[in-house]
Amino acid sequence: MAGSGHAPLRRNDDAILEIEDLTVEFPVGRREVVHAVSGISFDVLKGETLGIVGESGCGKSTVARSIVRLNDVLGGSVRYFDHDLATLSGEALRTLRPDLQMIFQDPISSLNPRRKVRDVISEGLVIWGDGQGIWSQGRIDELMHMVGIDPELGERRVHQFSGGQAQRIGIARALALDPKVLICDEPVSALDVSVQAQILNLLEDMKKRYGLTMLFISHDLSVVKNVSDRIIVMYLGKACEIGNADLLYEEPRHPYTRALLASIPQPAPTVDVSEGDISGEIPSPVNPPSGCRFVTRCPHATSICSSDEPQMQQVGDGDHYVACHHPVE
């Protein structure tokens, strides 16, 4: 779909999720809206980890929440096999939700602090079982053991656990219903650095054990690279680059991607660290720039960048696409 203006979709049997032209807006005041996500398209292949990265406010978490319909979708489609999640509601949507589970950024606020750990993990099983608890306590013990929480602590309240332990509980809760897709929305950003690696390793172990497909959201490109097969780079509600994780890291072609890579402690060897200094402020999503949304901060911008929206096009010989009038060679 090079030239379509959207990230390319691989229409094949390996795509478990196909997001096309997804648009999400939130009203502010009487007449204005926040253009949170503006026509983004991509697919998620069965068994892969697809990373989405960008600065705070770029729309990456809105994309994640839209897939599981935690917010309304203005336009576009979210296809899960033969179902368009963007248009489903009521019982039709409810029956599919066990297949798509989400891990949230703040493990403390995403779990009820007054409930016992065992009850938090088993809630989904109670709802989707026969209501009599025949799903067995053994299943809860198994989940707690797998995520590194002693089953003997199951009677404790959530507030008695640290942030890292609470995130492990959140992972166990998400896995309880045997999902096919696990959506991780900044799952380690609220944790201490010493704990982040443990949670990332746990997620990788659970992915292999259960054959999961994962969507991993983060503002940290170095973290995303270590866990992802492919990466989408977002800026102000748009996708600006998509490609294989190693290829995108070694040969970034969009100026914004290069700036992100240059800003991390150990930048990609092909990127000049001086590129990390982006001038100007991020434009308001209420009134985004015309043409390329990165035009107000891009060192390579010309007049066409202000007038014409760049089309997503393939660059090089690999699975690498960029939406830029002047991709960096």
Side-chain angles (χ1 to χ4, degrees), residues 253-260 275 294 298-300 324 326-328:
R253 303 295 297 275
H254 197 284
Y256 177 63
T257 306
R258 296 179 69 84
L260 283 180
E275 296 182 39
F294 191 55
C298 181
H300 307 289
C324 182
H326 309 293
V328 181

Side-chain angles (χ1 to χ4, degrees), residues 97-138:
R97 276 195 161 139
D99 284 358
L100 300 101
Q101 292 293 299
M102 194 162 178
I103 300 171
F104 297 91
Q105 178 176 359
D106 187 346
I108 301 299
S109 64
S110 65
L111 303 174
N112 189 331
R114 298 181 179 180
R115 300 198 67 186
K116 296 179 180 179
V117 169
R118 190 174 297 277
D119 294 337
V120 168
I121 297 174
S122 65
E123 183 175 14
L125 293 169
V126 173
I127 293 171
W128 287 96
D130 58 11
Q132 305 301 316
I134 299 178
W135 31 265
S136 118
Q137 291 294 330

Side-chain angles (χ1 to χ4, degrees), residues 133-295:
I134 299 178
W135 31 265
S136 118
Q137 291 294 330
R139 171 64 171 156
I140 307 304
D141 291 344
E142 176 189 4
L143 286 166
M144 293 184 67
H145 177 73
M146 284 192 302
V147 300
I149 299 292
D150 189 340
E152 293 185 2
L153 303 179
E155 297 303 308
R156 290 190 179 183
R157 311 285 177 178
V158 171
H159 71 83
Q160 295 177 275
F161 291 84
S162 67
Q165 291 173 315
Q167 194 62 288
R168 291 174 184 270
I169 295 167
I171 293 171
R173 179 182 65 174
L175 295 174
L177 291 172
D178 294 322
K180 293 181 173 62
V181 180
L182 191 62
I183 300 174
C184 307
D185 185 13
E186 301 262 17
V188 298
S189 64
L191 305 177
D192 292 340
V193 175
S194 60
V195 180
Q196 290 184 5
Q198 299 174 20
I199 298 300
L200 292 174
N201 289 336
L202 174 60
L203 287 170
E204 186 64 25
D205 290 343
M206 294 301 100
K207 178 189 174 184
K208 293 177 181 178
R209 180 187 292 265
Y210 289 103
L212 295 168
T213 300
M214 287 177 53
L215 191 64
F216 191 94
I217 314 296
S218 179
H219 64 274
D220 189 336
L221 216 158
S222 60
V223 170
V224 171
K225 176 184 180 294
N226 289 331
V227 301
S228 302
D229 299 299
R230 290 189 299 143
I231 296 174
I232 297 173
V233 180
M234 286 188 66
Y235 181 80
L236 207 62
K238 292 278 189 178
C240 56
E241 190 163 3
I242 178 172
N244 171 274
D246 292 331
L247 183 62
L248 187 143
Y249 186 85
E250 297 297 330
E251 301 179 18
R253 303 295 297 275
H254 197 284
Y256 177 63
T257 306
R258 296 179 69 84
L260 283 180
L261 284 168
S263 66
I264 64 178
Q266 293 182 330
T270 56
V271 178
D272 186 343
V273 293
S274 64
E275 296 182 39
D277 299 325
I278 305 177
S279 61
E281 299 293 330
I282 300 177
S284 170
V286 174
N287 186 28
S290 59
C292 175
R293 294 199 171 177
F294 191 55
V295 65

Side-chain angles (χ1 to χ4, degrees), residues 36-63:
V37 179
S38 301
I40 189 173
S41 299
F42 62 91
D43 61 5
V44 185
L45 304 185
K46 185 177 180 180
E48 80 167 338
T49 297
L50 177 67
I52 302 182
V53 68
E55 294 173 278
S56 296
C58 73
K60 56 188 184 297
S61 291
T62 300
V63 170

Side-chain angles (χ1 to χ4, degrees), residues 17-24 66-69 71-80 83-89 93 96:
L17 278 171
E18 296 175 341
I19 288 78
E20 185 168 11
D21 202 24
L22 179 67
T23 301
V24 181
S66 297
I67 291 174
V68 294
R69 288 294 304 280
N71 52 244
D72 291 332
V73 173
L74 178 65
S77 61
V78 180
R79 299 204 64 83
Y80 173 65
H83 308 278
D84 184 2
L85 302 179
T87 59
L88 291 183
S89 61
L93 179 61
L96 291 176

